[in-house]
Amino acid sequence: MGVTGGQISPVRSRERFLLGESVEGSVRGPILNSWMRSRMLGLSPEQTDLPYTDDFDPDSRLVRAAAPVLDQLQTRFSGGQMNISLADGNGTVLQRRFGEPALAGRLPPIQSVPGFVFAERYAGTNGIGLALAERRLCQVYGAEHFAERSQGNACSAIPIRDQFSGHIVGVLCFGYPRGYEDPSLPVLVRRAAESIERRIMEQSSARERALLRTYLDARLRARGGETGDDGQLIGLEELTDGGLDRQDQMILKARATELICSPQRAAVEVSLSHGRGVTLLSSPVTSLSGVEGVVVEAVLTGESPPAHHLAASKHTASALGALSLAATEHAESLPWHLADAAADRAAAGRSAASGTPGTPAGAPGAVRGLVLVGEPEVGKYAVAARRRLELLAEASTRIGTTLDVSRTAWELAETAVPRLADYVTVDLPGAVLRGEESADPQADLRRTVVHGIRDDCPFYPVGHQVRLDPGTPHMRCLEGEPAVLETDLQATTPAWMVPGLDHARGILAHDVHSMICVPLLARGVLLGIATFYRSQDPAPFGDDDTRLAQELAARAALCIDNARRYTREHTLALALQRSLLPRGLPEQGAVEVAHHYLPAESGVGGDWFDVIPLSGTRVALLVGDVVGHGLHAAATMGRLRIAARNFAELELAPDELLTHLDNLLVRLDREEEDASATGSNGIVGATCLYAVYDPTSQVCTMARAGHPPPALVDPDGRVTFPDLPPGPPLGLGGLPFETAEIRLPEHSTLVLYTDGLVDDRHRDIDVALDQLRDALAHPDRGPQDTCRAVIEAVAPEHPGDDIALLVARTRTVPADRIATWDLPPDPSLVADIRGAATRRLAEWGLDELSFAAELMLSELVTNAVRYGSEPIQVRLIHDHDRALICEVSDGSSTAPHLRRAATTDEGGRGLFLVAQLSQAWGARYTTRGKVIWAECALDAA
């Protein structure tokens, strides 16, 4: 059961293989090969996700042919644990049947619901994927499955072929518990597959069957009754031993269809990938009922054929001679041996080019396989239909690659030219280009795309405002017609062209002879007009072309509408985000600041920054980043920024501020979880860096929550990244934050940024940090120039995340502008402090503020002496000609509160006087007590 010699179990062999050990000889070859392919594809045994698609036809030829067979199998296994699957040629499960119906409710969706893809590149080693890879009946036992989820099951699977072409069109798979194994299962699954193949053949038209029967009879006569041939047709896959990839097979089928269009003998050499070549041979054939058709076979002559095809190739080579006997008398006169000779010459040419001997087409070593049998007229329709389908398939991948409205319109034109039209124009209202719905499309219709086979397109240029006259095809489309076809513009000038005849003559001068005008409609919204013109192709547009243009326009319109909606949401989110960011920097003297904000190209993020003036000439610098993108991230950013500003106003230390933000984010996250039923997105978390710089001491206190450390540029140009305690991201809850103090000499530069600046999937972060270091190593630059240099040198060309950059150059308060007095708790010393302060104000030239300063100091010092504790200190700061700051500190943590004193109260008016005489006052706590401060504006003097 899956081992060689029964020595080692599949479980043990699989474990050894996953550990990188050699298991050759202990595992069946197909299984080991599949394991290796799975590993090379990057699959992991723990994988649980399979692609799911509902884009399959539940009533396809294969499903119709298999349905009665599946019904019989379900009856046969009634009450058992059998799971019967029918998959298409890509591994997508189309039908599920169960011996016990209750299994459908007990099994996981991937084992019970159609639509999951079990191709080997997604699911690893499994029955369906292995049958497609090996192209024969395969069995997988328990641990031979690559994925962990399938370890308890076994399966038998076999490909289903279209006997008309020899191609694999599906897979029949039996899945069952490992103990359910029975020697009759492979026989049963083979017979069931053969029955499905017969039913597929019965669906073919009588005319096709007649042509195929003639071909098979010719093979039989050519064999002359020889035995040993199983009679099975050789398809493209067997012809090359599975060596043709999907693109090569499409090329051969396409050329074969073109050969069927012409009922004559021909030999065409087709070059494939990897330097291989195949010769296609076509010959007319007539059935006994008089149906005229063409058979096309492929001759592989560029390399030695696989050994197991040699016997079949002899019969096929002989059959070709008999086929000529069945050809019509009025067929082309090219003898079949000339076609063989042409193939021989092609093989010889390839042999000479490669230096290896070739195999002539008629030689016994040549491998021949049936490609197509059909009627010429049907073939012509098939070629046209195939080309239309190919264009639609290409459109699904080429149109809508971005969420840009204009680019999507260009992709529509690039797809249609030249395979459908020679020129294409697309006109969209200006509102659609801005991401809005247009209330009146014809009032603001603008030329958005002009594309054609020539650069000198005879149409209005991009950006031109298009004005439409009544009766024009464009206006008719705007008024509700699904499409307008004009088949002959050259013979008679339509009436609708008369008002713009001069412009029309320029178009007709480029031999434009027909056109199709199609509205761009999506979700009931008119988005614009696409117009297709033909000039070089002599055949005018027809109904089929109109339907194709409508299909292309419908796909493009849906993509344009998606891009329009994204543009609208992006614009709204960006407007919200910018409204929540600082619109200007506050006045303060501690640092010289510049900032830059760069939104992501793919969406709006939650990055923010702030500069917050604090008491005592200090300043707080803040950058943060909310995880995620979109409106939700922007709104969360705004809430955090306002909260951080409020916490900063309370004079909290950096670690305490981050703790409060962390608690806030935890509460917001709980609110989002409670509201999850409404479809809102939960908050994941945020990072933050908070720094407080004191220009009187030149000390910067910082703390960070999962955020990149800042860059520090010394006055001499040396760039460092301080090693701050990292701290957890905000939103985890319950984890502590730490602070670090760094002394910053005057004219040092502190650079705060979000990870979008240095974290890029196309660049190593160490490289980005080196680029940042080089960009900052210029101390002579001002903050604004530094911002510009950093963005130009470090920011990604197409940022996938927002970038917030804050550059602050430090200043200091000179020592001669700071006055400090320490005093014991003696009320009699209050007068001495007033006198000393008055003298210092006179030295600073602030005599006008002496009266106010004396009153404020009297009240604050008296309160400290009466209600506080030692040490008591008084400090005056002359802040860069901006303000006079009076501070009184003591060792008590009890702060006074402003209250309205009654007329009969003897006290309680001191703080009221302080509040009236100052422009701001407050209290902040320190590790040694508190500081009561009051600030007077110098211009108030």
Side-chain angles (χ1 to χ4, degrees):
M1 298 280 291
V3 298
T4 300
Q7 299 294 323
I8 303 176
S9 70
V11 176
R12 177 57 182 155
S13 297
R14 182 174 174 278
E15 291 175 352
R16 288 173 52 193
F17 171 79
L18 294 176
L19 292 174
E21 300 179 16
S22 175
V23 292
E24 285 83 355
S26 61
V27 180
R28 290 187 293 142
I31 299 297
L32 180 57
N33 293 337
S34 180
W35 285 357
M36 291 180 177
R37 289 193 297 268
S38 301
R39 177 63 64 84
M40 292 175 63
L41 289 168
L43 302 179
S44 63
E46 296 81 14
Q47 67 179 20
T48 56
D49 295 332
L50 292 180
Y52 175 81
T53 178
D54 56 1
D55 187 19
F56 62 86
D57 185 3
D59 193 34
S60 64
R61 280 182 70 205
L62 176 61
V63 173
R64 292 198 306 271
V69 180
L70 296 179
D71 292 339
Q72 293 176 8
L73 292 173
Q74 184 175 14
T75 301
R76 182 185 183 98
F77 293 110
S78 177
Q81 300 294 306
M82 183 65 71
N83 182 345
I84 307 166
S85 303
L86 176 71
D88 64 16
N90 297 318
T92 302
V93 175
L94 307 177
Q95 290 275 302
R96 291 279 194 184
R97 300 295 174 88
F98 304 93
E100 181 182 345
L103 282 176
R106 297 200 302 264
L107 293 175
I110 61 172
Q111 296 182 17
S112 58
V113 178
F116 286 95
V117 183
F118 282 80
E120 191 178 67
R121 64 181 180 276
Y122 302 119
T125 307
N126 71 93
I128 294 174
L130 193 61
L132 289 173
E134 294 292 323
R135 317 193 66 79
R136 57 187 175 89
L137 173 65
C138 295
Q139 294 177 279
V140 184
Y141 308 103
E144 289 183 335
H145 286 90
F146 190 79
E148 296 284 357
R149 62 169 177 270
S150 304
Q151 295 297 294
N153 300 318
C155 58
S156 296
I158 187 171
I160 299 172
R161 286 180 169 82
D162 182 351
Q163 288 295 300
F164 184 78
S165 64
H167 304 146
I168 293 176
V169 295
V171 175
L172 180 65
C173 181
F174 289 177
Y176 42 84
R178 283 181 292 182
Y180 207 73
E181 177 64 26
D182 189 286
S184 64
L185 284 178
V187 177
L188 181 61
V189 72
R190 187 189 298 276
R191 290 179 178 174
E194 291 172 352
S195 179
I196 295 173
E197 290 172 351
R198 285 195 300 271
R199 294 183 60 83
I200 292 176
M201 278 295 298
E202 290 171 2
Q203 294 179 5
S204 302
S205 69
R207 299 170 68 88
E208 291 172 334
R209 290 201 303 272
L211 291 173
L212 181 62
R213 186 70 264 165
T214 301
Y215 170 77
L216 294 177
D217 289 344
R219 293 182 68 224
L220 184 61
R221 291 196 302 271
R223 262 204 324 267
E226 293 182 35
T227 59
D229 187 357
D230 57 7
Q232 187 178 22
L233 297 181
I234 300 176
L236 287 179
E237 295 86 350
E238 287 76 9
L239 175 67
T240 59
D241 198 21
L244 285 183
D245 58 25
R246 191 171 183 178
Q247 184 66 26
D248 287 344
Q249 293 183 35
M250 290 178 62
I251 292 173
L252 285 179
K253 293 174 185 176
R255 294 302 302 274
T257 306
E258 294 171 358
L259 288 174
I260 289 177
C261 296
S262 178
Q264 61 184 7
R265 296 186 182 94
V268 177
E269 184 178 4
V270 181
S271 297
L272 304 177
S273 58
H274 308 296
R276 292 174 299 181
V278 171
T279 300
L280 293 179
L281 303 177
S282 69
S283 178
V285 59
T286 302
S287 69
L288 296 178
S289 59
V291 177
E292 297 181 358
V294 176
V295 60
V296 179
E297 291 197 332
V299 182
L300 181 65
T301 57
E303 55 187 15
S304 298
H308 64 277
H309 288 319
L310 291 179
S313 67
K314 291 189 296 182
H315 303 308
T316 308
S318 301
L320 289 173
L323 278 174
S324 61
L325 299 177
T328 57
E329 295 180 356
H330 57 274
E332 293 292 330
S333 59
L334 176 63
W336 188 258
H337 70 273
L338 294 183
D340 279 350
D344 294 344
R345 289 194 297 272
R350 285 192 299 270
S351 301
S354 61
T356 58
T359 305
V367 181
R368 300 177 185 266
L370 176 65
V371 180
L372 286 177
V373 173
E375 298 176 73
E377 290 302 317
V378 176
K380 293 177 183 179
Y381 288 118
V383 169
R386 174 177 56 79
R387 289 173 178 170
R388 287 194 293 269
L389 289 174
E390 288 175 352
L391 183 58
L392 289 175
E394 183 178 335
S396 65
T397 59
R398 290 187 60 181
I399 301 176
T401 60
T402 67
L403 289 172
D404 180 85
V405 173
S406 298
R407 180 58 205 163
T408 303
W410 270 103
E411 289 169 346
L412 167 62
E414 291 170 342
T415 302
V417 175
R419 296 168 65 180
L420 172 62
D422 297 317
Y423 298 99
V424 173
T425 63
V426 179
D427 303 320
L428 303 176
V432 172
L433 295 172
R434 296 190 298 270
E436 306 166 4
E437 289 187 13
S438 178
D440 187 8
Q442 59 179 296
D444 188 26
L445 202 61
R446 296 188 176 274
R447 181 59 46 86
T448 306
V449 174
V450 178
H451 183 59
I453 57 176
R454 293 170 53 178
D455 294 334
D456 58 336
C457 294
F459 304 99
Y460 290 124
V462 173
H464 179 82
Q465 185 168 2
V466 180
R467 292 179 174 85
L468 302 178
D469 296 314
T472 62
H474 305 77
M475 181 62 75
R476 290 161 61 188
C477 287
L478 290 179
E479 293 173 346
E481 290 197 32
V484 178
L485 170 64
E486 291 285 351
T487 58
D488 193 354
L489 300 177
Q490 293 284 346
T492 58
T493 303
W496 57 265
M497 296 183 70
V498 174
L501 193 56
D502 292 338
H503 179 64
R505 285 171 178 164
I507 296 177
L508 297 178
H510 281 69
D511 298 326
V512 173
H513 56 73
S514 58
M515 64 173 288
I516 302 172
C517 192
V518 185
L520 297 172
L521 281 167
R523 303 181 178 97
V525 178
L526 181 60
L527 302 172
I529 305 169
T531 310
F532 305 84
Y533 299 90
R534 183 171 285 179
S535 63
Q536 196 171 53
D537 189 339
F541 286 122
D543 292 335
D544 289 341
D545 298 314
T546 303
R547 285 189 286 269
L548 178 58
Q550 288 179 283
E551 183 67 26
L552 289 176
R555 298 190 182 196
L558 188 60
C559 295
I560 290 174
D561 192 48
N562 290 338
R564 179 191 64 82
R565 290 167 178 258
Y566 170 79
T567 301
R568 181 187 60 191
E569 296 297 328
H570 182 74
T571 301
L572 289 174
L574 190 59
L576 172 64
Q577 182 191 49
R578 292 195 181 279
S579 69
L580 296 174
L581 289 171
R583 297 192 177 184
L585 297 179
E587 182 183 356
Q588 48 81 36
V591 292
E592 181 186 357
V593 186
H595 62 88
H596 191 94
Y597 193 91
L598 185 64
E601 286 189 355
S602 58
V604 175
D607 293 18
W608 87 94
F609 65 92
D610 215 340
V611 178
I612 309 170
L614 301 177
S615 63
T617 71
R618 298 172 306 135
V619 67
L621 305 174
L622 177 69
V623 292
D625 183 4
V626 175
V627 176
H629 291 82
L631 284 172
H632 188 266
T636 303
M637 174 270 288
R639 301 170 79 175
L640 285 180
R641 177 177 171 257
I642 297 301
R645 177 171 281 273
N646 291 334
F647 292 146
E649 295 285 350
L650 296 176
E651 303 281 1
L652 298 179
D655 56 337
E656 295 178 13
L657 182 139
L658 293 181
T659 299
H660 282 281
L661 288 180
D662 184 46
N663 293 335
L664 172 64
L665 203 56
V666 169
R667 290 195 297 272
L668 292 178
D669 208 1
R670 289 173 182 167
E671 293 176 4
E672 292 293 336
E673 290 178 359
D674 295 338
S676 60
T678 63
S680 56
N681 298 319
I683 300 172
V684 178
T687 65
C688 184
L689 173 61
Y690 183 71
V692 176
Y693 172 67
D694 188 346
T696 63
S697 63
Q698 301 180 4
V699 172
C700 184
T701 305
M702 293 181 278
R704 63 184 178 122
H707 201 84
L712 177 60
V713 186
D714 293 341
D716 59 0
R718 187 172 65 93
V719 181
T720 59
F721 296 91
D723 187 16
L724 304 182
L730 300 177
L732 297 181
L735 298 176
F737 300 95
E738 300 179 54
T739 60
E741 292 187 351
I742 301 175
R743 189 178 185 280
L744 303 180
E746 186 176 10
H747 303 312
S748 297
T749 300
L750 189 64
V751 181
L752 287 70
Y753 54 91
T754 54
D755 59 357
L757 180 67
V758 296
D759 190 4
D760 182 24
R761 61 181 179 179
H762 302 296
R763 175 182 57 179
D764 189 87
I765 190 170
D766 292 332
V767 174
L769 291 176
D770 289 340
Q771 293 174 342
L772 178 60
R773 182 181 287 107
D774 294 340
L776 293 175
H778 298 276
D780 54 324
R781 288 181 182 149
Q784 193 63 51
D785 293 335
T786 300
C787 268
R788 189 178 302 108
V790 168
I791 293 298
E792 291 177 355
V794 187
E797 183 177 356
H798 301 286
D801 194 7
D802 290 14
I803 297 173
L805 177 64
L806 191 63
V807 177
R809 175 177 286 182
T810 62
R811 297 169 176 164
T812 60
V813 178
D816 58 359
R817 294 203 174 192
I818 302 175
T820 305
W821 299 277
D822 296 317
L823 69 156
D826 185 354
S828 64
L829 298 178
V830 175
D832 296 339
I833 291 297
R834 288 201 302 266
T838 301
R839 290 190 294 273
R840 181 54 64 92
L841 291 178
E843 295 176 7
W844 289 343
L846 302 178
D847 300 276
E848 297 86 350
L849 294 177
S850 295
F851 178 74
E854 285 187 55
L855 283 179
M856 289 189 298
L857 285 176
S858 294
E859 294 298 332
L860 296 178
V861 173
T862 300
N863 283 340
V865 170
R866 181 178 296 178
Y867 305 110
S869 60
E870 296 186 274
I872 300 175
Q873 186 180 77
V874 177
R875 187 169 71 159
L876 292 180
I877 304 173
H878 183 195
D879 180 18
H880 292 285
D881 298 325
R882 190 180 64 88
L884 174 67
I885 301 172
C886 304
E887 295 184 345
V888 177
S889 63
D890 65 79
S892 172
S893 59
T894 302
H897 296 280
L898 180 66
R899 66 184 180 88
R900 183 176 296 277
T903 55
T904 58
D905 290 343
E906 296 183 0
R909 296 177 177 83
L911 284 180
F912 182 77
L913 287 175
V914 171
Q916 294 300 309
L917 293 171
S918 64
Q919 68 174 1
W921 76 279
R924 68 175 182 267
Y925 295 95
T926 66
T927 56
R928 298 169 58 186
K930 68 175 180 297
V931 176
I932 308 299
W933 57 271
E935 181 178 301
C936 293
L938 297 185
D939 56 9

